[in-house]
Amino acid sequence: MSRSKGKRYDTEAKLNIKKVIAVIIAILVIIMFVIGIRELLKERENIKEKTFITAYYPIYENGKWGVMDTKQSIIIEPTYDEMIIIPDNSKPIFICTINTNYEAGTFETKVLNDNKKELYTNYDKVEVLYNNDKNNNLWYETGMLKVQKEGKYGLIDLEGKELAKPMYDEIRVLPGIKNVVISVVNQKQGIVNNIGAQIIPNEYEEIHSLGEKYENGFIVKDQNRKIWSYKLKWTNNTRSKI
């Protein structure tokens, strides 16, 4: 009898060990599952953070202008009287108007980044180039800013790289036409493109666009009041009388 009891107790002891091992395995599986879920959620958050694009836009509070981003963080406190210009809302470049004299029609600008550091301080003034089409849809010329230094005008890109040296008496948009501007030297007009290349020399009294794209060419009037069509063919410019 004692032998059979001992055998039964040995069997129960083995069964208890199996149960303990099973419970341990189940706990380990649960722990691994929880860790896996946490890692998956963390990875999703990282992906979401990487794919989330921060954008910037002007805000108006209590009669003053500032800048906020899409995370609703205040980048520049609303302390400016004039709306802050953001040439590209995906880039932290903010043009602030200061020292405005409405009677004289004069103003100054300063450019700040998202750390409130002043940019492009080697120029006297930095401005966006406003343009509009025949339906009065307004836009900023993309990728270039007009700069002034010692009374002359040039172009830079949004990173501050100089595209065209400040050597022009005036730079203005060609209404409705993107990626080019009119340059003026000694009252003579020419055309500069958005990488700073002078594609039409400063030789003409007037320049107008042919069509709605600069690739279609231009109509130019010379000092003798003669009108020409100016076609752009790759790197070579051709002119023909109309």
Side-chain angles (χ1 to χ4, degrees):
M1 293 293 291
S2 61
R3 229 181 281 170
S4 72
K5 283 183 180 179
K7 189 173 182 182
R8 187 182 65 190
Y9 294 148
D10 289 344
T11 302
E12 288 180 356
K14 288 178 183 177
L15 287 174
N16 289 338
I17 290 171
K18 288 180 180 179
K19 288 180 181 178
V20 170
I21 292 172
V23 169
I24 292 172
I25 291 172
I27 292 171
L28 290 174
V29 169
I30 292 170
I31 291 171
M32 291 173 66
F33 178 76
V34 171
I35 292 173
I37 291 295
R38 284 182 178 177
E39 290 298 320
L40 181 61
L41 292 174
K42 190 184 294 183
E43 187 177 345
R44 285 184 177 179
E45 285 299 317
N46 290 336
I47 292 172
K48 190 183 294 183
E49 188 70 26
K50 288 178 182 177
T51 55
F52 182 80
I53 298 174
T54 301
Y56 306 91
Y57 55 93
I59 57 171
Y60 186 72
E61 290 182 1
N62 301 320
K64 300 290 183 180
W65 290 92
V67 174
M68 180 182 283
D69 66 12
T70 44
K71 297 178 181 178
Q72 297 188 340
S73 300
I74 299 294
I75 307 302
I76 297 179
E77 295 291 336
T79 57
Y80 290 89
D81 294 328
E82 304 289 337
M83 186 177 77
I84 296 173
I85 304 300
I86 306 174
D88 181 340
N89 70 352
S90 68
K91 298 181 184 298
I93 298 171
F94 316 118
I95 301 177
C96 307
T97 302
I98 57 175
N99 301 329
T100 303
N101 185 326
Y102 296 103
E103 293 182 0
T106 60
F107 64 94
E108 297 175 12
T109 63
K110 67 177 179 180
V111 185
L112 303 177
N113 65 9
D114 51 346
N115 294 317
K116 300 182 180 66
K117 179 183 176 182
E118 193 167 352
L119 308 175
Y120 321 144
T121 54
N122 51 325
Y123 300 104
D124 300 328
K125 187 185 288 186
V126 180
E127 302 174 72
V128 293
L129 288 155
Y130 295 94
N131 206 335
N132 63 282
D133 60 21
K134 60 185 179 182
N135 296 318
N136 288 322
N137 295 313
L138 182 70
W139 73 83
Y140 306 139
E141 286 297 327
T142 56
M144 57 180 171
L145 301 170
K146 181 170 75 171
V147 294
Q148 181 182 3
K149 187 173 185 179
E150 298 175 356
K152 298 291 184 180
Y153 294 91
L155 297 170
I156 62 173
D157 66 16
L158 297 184
E159 280 68 49
K161 178 184 175 183
E162 193 168 79
L163 302 175
K165 294 182 180 299
M167 56 182 283
Y168 300 105
D169 300 328
E170 187 182 354
I171 286 178
R172 61 176 183 262
V173 299
L174 191 60
I177 305 299
K178 297 180 180 180
N179 300 323
V180 294
V181 293
I182 293 177
S183 61
V184 181
V185 175
N186 297 326
Q187 298 183 343
K188 301 296 184 184
Q189 298 182 14
I191 293 288
V192 177
N193 67 12
N194 60 348
I195 61 171
Q198 186 85 48
I199 59 177
I200 295 181
N202 292 94
E203 297 176 353
Y204 300 98
E205 300 292 320
E206 295 179 27
I207 297 179
H208 302 279
S209 60
L210 272 171
E212 298 181 351
K213 295 182 179 180
Y214 82 87
E215 292 89 348
N216 295 332
F218 305 89
I219 298 173
V220 299
K221 183 186 292 185
D222 66 17
Q223 60 186 355
N224 298 316
R225 312 295 293 176
K226 291 182 179 178
I227 298 175
W228 306 80
S229 67
Y230 213 110
K231 296 287 187 178
L232 305 177
K233 293 184 178 179
W234 300 98
T235 57
N236 298 317
N237 299 339
T238 60
R239 192 180 75 164
S240 59
K241 190 174 180 180
I242 293 179

